[in-house]
Amino acid sequence: VQLQASGGGLVQAGGSLRLSCAASGRTFSSFVMGWFRQAPGKEREFVAAIRWSGISRYGDSLKGRFTISRDNAKNTVYLQMNNLKPEDTAVYYCAAENSLSIPIQWAPDYWGQGTLVTVSS
């Protein structure tokens, strides 16, 4: 399983970015896909995850500004990030797991290489 994340970059506070993660290597019909992030000097943080059916879950305080979606035909998951804040600056990692549910403490089996998001004030 390979996960290729893209879409990171530099944006001013209040701006938007959309991250993409393309998955390959097998059929993802039973996979949960999602995102984590890790800011400098901080622990990795759960951002959002989505099931094949479209049911999603978000990290605390992120829902409302972040929206996760997926295109099953393309094996791709997206993260639309709006009203970005400097504290959203982090490396964002795509992740996936062969699971029908999203556990509270999600521990994916597969990880992408990460894409850097920098939000300037």
Side-chain angles (χ1 to χ4, degrees):
V1 174
Q2 292 82 42
L3 302 174
Q4 182 68 44
S6 61
L10 174 64
V11 64
Q12 289 188 332
S16 298
L17 279 176
R18 189 176 83 152
L19 306 183
S20 300
C21 175
S24 62
R26 59 170 296 168
T27 301
F28 287 85
S29 59
S30 60
F31 273 62
V32 172
M33 299 182 71
W35 298 90
F36 287 75
R37 69 184 183 182
Q38 187 164 20
K42 295 188 176 181
E43 293 186 354
R44 187 172 58 197
E45 175 187 18
F46 171 72
V47 175
I50 187 167
R51 294 167 55 180
W52 173 266
S53 61
I55 295 174
S56 59
R57 186 165 66 82
Y58 293 85
D60 294 341
S61 77
L62 294 178
K63 189 175 184 179
R65 294 192 301 121
F66 289 13
T67 302
I68 191 170
S69 61
R70 66 190 286 170
D71 184 333
N72 292 329
K74 296 181 178 179
N75 286 338
T76 300
V77 63
Y78 305 98
L79 185 69
Q80 177 67 41
M81 305 184 292
N82 297 327
N83 190 23
L84 283 162
K85 304 175 181 180
E87 52 264 41
D88 294 318
T89 295
V91 176
Y92 285 71
Y93 295 93
C94 177
E97 181 185 12
N98 189 358
S99 173
L100 296 178
S101 64
I102 309 172
I104 295 299
Q105 298 294 333
W106 187 38
D109 296 323
Y110 305 101
W111 294 86
Q113 85 287 3
T115 185
L116 176 63
V117 172
T118 304
V119 184
S120 63
S121 57

